Amino acid sequence: MASPHFRTGYVAIVGRPNVGKSTLLNHLIQQKISITSKKAQTTRHRINGILTDEQSQFVFVDTPGFQTRHSSQLNQIMNRTVIQSIREVDIILFVIEAIRFDERDKGVLKLLPADRPVILVINKVDQLAQKTQLLPFIESMAKEFNFAGIIPVSAARGIQLTELIDMVRPYLPESPPLFGEDEISDRSERFLAAEMIREKLFRLMGEEIPYSTTVRIDQFTVEGNLRRIFACILVEKSNQKAIVIGKNGEKLKIIATQARQDMEKLFGSKVYLEVWVKVKNGWADDINTLKSLGYE
């Protein structure tokens, strides 16, 4: 039973693409639910990750990177997701890279409200060659916005994440928990399965496959300790289909194998996975297709 002073609240993780928002979420909740890759805009949906301890329940909201360079229907939907998330949470973590603050970051900063606390999270400090650059950078950033706090971290290495949790906690409202203490996400296994495949696609294909690629789960059934999953990778052109499949189907086999292994870790069960590839031209600008794929 939660204590009378238990705190529960929503914490948005926002920033431009590729600053490490999803890596931060995964390490905060100590479980991989949000996919990561070096490809910009890997995260496309709002994903809630839940961390519960004896004092509080943090519902971290991982948002897509706010996109200023592309204007497809998909990107417009993702930008609306970011703006809506900012309006609905109790506190905001604004994530930037150490010693980097450019026009894209400033664009996100302009979206941040003045009526709720914003903590500046300076990520990737482990990559700094000159650590002496950090303090002047923190001092300069303090002049950009009235931050409730500023903290340097390394999401990938877990540096200062406990301190970040302690910094966030006082801003959560007093409230009983919204989720069970063993829950780590409000997303379905079906959704997470599609994300695992999409991550492997982005990681293994690199620049060979453009941004306009997605994954659809056609069948997901649970049979005892077995998840039976049939998935389809959607690409826009036939030559992309050939690239994803690879010679003698080798690329697709690697994608499916690595995704299945991640699913088995996350679901704690055996997974039977079949993946195939289909050409669907213009899906990223087709409202009906986007809705069918779960884009809000």
Side-chain angles (χ1 to χ4, degrees), residues 24-272:
L24 179 61
L25 171 66
N26 291 338
H27 280 77
L28 284 169
I29 69 170
Q30 299 175 31
Q31 181 67 267
K32 180 177 179 177
I33 62 165
S34 193
I35 67 173
T36 61
S37 81
K38 293 181 179 179
K39 205 172 184 70
Q41 291 291 70
T42 300
T43 300
R44 292 178 177 171
H45 300 266
R46 168 175 167 159
I47 300 173
N48 290 350
I50 304 159
L51 171 66
T52 307
D53 60 23
E54 293 180 357
Q55 306 169 60
S56 315
Q57 184 171 85
F58 304 80
V59 185
F60 293 104
V61 182
D62 186 19
T63 62
F66 194 81
Q67 183 59 258
T68 58
R69 296 182 177 179
H70 304 288
S71 59
S72 68
Q73 288 288 343
L74 174 60
N75 278 299
Q76 290 176 33
I77 288 172
M78 290 192 298
N79 282 353
R80 285 201 299 271
T81 297
V82 176
I83 294 169
Q84 184 178 355
S85 297
I86 289 172
R87 292 172 179 166
E88 294 175 348
V89 299
D90 300 293
I91 180 171
I92 297 164
L93 302 183
F94 175 42
V95 185
I96 63 173
E97 290 186 54
I99 320 301
R100 291 186 182 178
F101 184 69
D102 60 26
E103 292 304 315
R104 295 171 297 167
D105 300 297
K106 291 178 181 178
V108 180
L109 188 61
K110 290 176 183 177
L111 301 174
L112 304 183
D115 63 348
R116 69 203 64 193
V118 177
I119 292 176
L120 177 65
V121 180
I122 302 174
N123 193 23
K124 305 184 184 181
V125 295
D126 57 304
Q127 297 179 15
L128 281 179
Q130 299 292 330
K131 306 297 183 186
T132 54
Q133 294 177 295
L134 188 57
L135 185 56
F137 181 70
I138 290 173
E139 291 173 348
S140 68
M141 288 305 304
K143 300 173 184 176
E144 295 285 340
F145 189 87
N146 184 26
F147 294 110
I150 300 177
I151 183 168
V153 308
S154 168
R157 294 182 177 270
I159 297 171
Q160 291 244 102
L161 298 192
T162 299
E163 290 80 358
L164 174 58
I165 290 291
D166 290 339
M167 187 179 286
V168 171
R169 194 188 311 276
Y171 294 104
L172 301 180
E174 288 193 5
S175 168
L178 299 171
F179 301 93
E181 63 180 44
D182 59 342
E183 291 186 73
I184 58 168
S185 179
D186 62 346
R187 285 291 191 171
S188 69
E189 290 186 352
R190 187 185 189 104
F191 170 85
L192 295 171
E195 289 289 274
M196 295 296 172
I197 298 168
R198 195 162 61 83
E199 177 187 66
K200 301 311 172 191
L201 180 67
F202 280 1
R203 285 194 168 197
L204 293 166
M205 303 307 299
E207 297 305 315
E208 291 181 89
I209 287 296
Y211 176 58
S212 51
T213 308
T214 197
V215 176
R216 181 185 71 206
I217 301 296
D218 292 331
Q219 185 179 333
F220 189 114
T221 57
V222 180
E223 303 168 8
N225 193 43
L226 173 70
R227 267 76 171 165
R228 194 178 296 275
I229 303 168
F230 296 85
C232 181
I233 295 171
L234 299 181
V235 296
E236 290 207 303
K237 298 176 181 177
S238 56
N239 68 319
Q240 295 168 2
K241 178 178 178 178
I243 291 171
V244 173
I245 293 172
K247 186 178 180 180
N248 300 321
E250 284 302 311
K251 282 278 189 181
L252 187 59
K253 182 179 179 181
I254 295 170
I255 290 168
T257 298
Q258 293 191 10
R260 177 182 55 77
Q261 290 169 346
D262 272 7
M263 290 178 205
E264 290 182 338
K265 288 179 185 176
L266 183 61
F267 302 153
S269 77
K270 289 292 183 182
V271 171
Y272 173 84

